[in-house]
Amino acid sequence: VPELPEVETVARQLAPCLVGRTVRDLRILDPLLRDCETPPAVAGRTVLRVGRSGKRVLVAFSERPGRRGALWLAVHLRMTGRLLWCETDRAAPHVSHLRARLRFDAGALLFIDPRRFGTFRWYRSEEAAAPRGIDPLSAALTPARLAALLGRSPQCLKAWLLRQDRLVGLGNIYASEILHAARLSPFRAAGSLDPGEVRRLLGAARRILERAIRHCGTTFSDFQDARGLEGSFQRFLAVYDRAGRRCRRCGAAVAREVQQQRSTYYCPHCQR
Ligand SMILES: [Zn+2]
């Protein structure tokens, strides 16, 4: 499942393709993708920005000529969703698992999603589209703010990082990697960190996420970026999916344990 770096990769690659283009038409081919009875009128609108909102790609559209009201589309890729940019829209009808197609004055954006868990959500304001949690890469997230969010939570750190109502964008891969980089046990209570450990956690989160973005994310099975290519951050993974192999820092064997039905990978020696 794409996490923050994968979604950021897609948004950064799509931005130069989409910004400034005007929508010719939108076709929703899969009824499951409709989030309301009448999809908003998109034709005639111009793309103003493409960014990321938590784990979703967020596209901002202008008002329609002569009408009021801008529009935002948030796309959640989930398991197998892909947003693919095509310079021409000729190929579109032949693509399999095509769930939606947004045609522009030149080119088309295809939403391809074999397992159909991805979602489209439309918003009338940017505030409405904003996630509840704070983005780990946001300048607004200071160590003091993170400490306040952690509060006195008795929840395990790993499970706490996966909640989307405190920090947004982290999933199983990056939660494991961040805790390893911060030398913190995934089983520690989130509210038990001292100020130095909170700073370590925040620093590790930013380091890992920024590095993953530089390498276009991690690909295990399904993730492909907007160009149809795979990310390469899997070469740098320190613990995730490395059970039994040597910790890259101390040489001890990486352990795997199941927390909330999900695998947690960690080094029992350097994450205490
Ligand atoms: Zn270690």
Side-chain angles (χ1 to χ4, degrees), residues 10-229:
V10 171
R12 286 186 185 186
Q13 291 173 350
L14 287 178
C17 305
L18 299 186
V19 171
R21 293 205 199 263
T22 302
V23 178
R24 201 142 42 109
D25 60 25
L26 166 69
R27 281 194 62 193
I28 305 254
L29 299 140
D30 180 355
L32 272 182
L33 210 54
R34 300 204 169 103
D35 80 326
C36 44
E37 284 296 312
T38 39
V42 197
R45 296 179 188 268
T46 299
V47 175
L48 301 176
R49 277 193 314 282
V50 181
R52 179 181 57 78
S53 168
K55 289 188 199 175
R56 304 186 300 174
V57 176
L58 189 65
V59 184
F61 297 94
S62 69
E63 304 185 333
R64 280 193 293 159
R67 312 262 189 116
R68 296 195 65 107
L71 186 68
W72 282 261
L73 168 63
V75 181
H76 206 312
L77 302 171
R78 302 273 180 206
M79 302 285 288
T80 54
R82 284 170 54 201
L83 286 169
L84 203 63
W85 173 251
C86 290
E87 289 292 340
T88 75
D89 50 24
R90 294 277 168 79
H94 310 294
V95 171
S96 53
H97 307 295
L98 183 64
R99 297 182 67 199
R101 183 186 64 193
L102 196 55
R103 285 197 306 170
F104 293 89
D105 42 5
L109 180 64
L110 310 182
F111 184 54
I112 300 159
D113 184 13
R115 295 190 62 182
R116 301 168 73 202
F117 289 122
T119 57
F120 272 22
R121 292 279 179 272
W122 300 92
Y123 298 95
R124 297 290 177 183
S125 73
E126 194 159 16
E127 297 72 53
R132 274 181 67 197
I134 185 166
D135 198 280
L137 297 181
S138 156
L141 185 64
T142 58
R145 177 95 182 262
L146 179 57
L149 288 171
L150 290 160
R152 297 180 179 207
S153 171
Q155 201 170 21
C156 290
L157 261 178
K158 163 78 184 320
W160 191 91
L161 289 176
L162 297 184
R163 302 171 59 141
Q164 301 297 307
D165 61 339
R166 298 292 190 269
L167 295 185
V168 284
L170 302 181
N172 218 31
I173 296 175
Y174 295 104
S176 287
E177 292 297 311
I178 288 166
L179 289 174
H180 179 263
R183 303 190 313 279
L184 292 167
S185 162
F187 310 104
R188 282 274 299 276
S192 72
L193 271 52
D194 67 34
E197 291 170 326
V198 171
R199 274 197 302 278
R200 239 160 59 205
L201 178 60
L202 183 56
R206 294 208 165 123
R207 218 162 51 239
I208 294 284
L209 294 171
E210 279 163 5
R211 191 172 188 201
I213 290 168
R214 278 202 303 280
H215 292 279
C216 298
T218 304
T219 299
F220 273 96
S221 53
D222 292 314
F223 173 68
Q224 291 184 322
D225 65 24
R227 303 164 304 176
L229 301 175

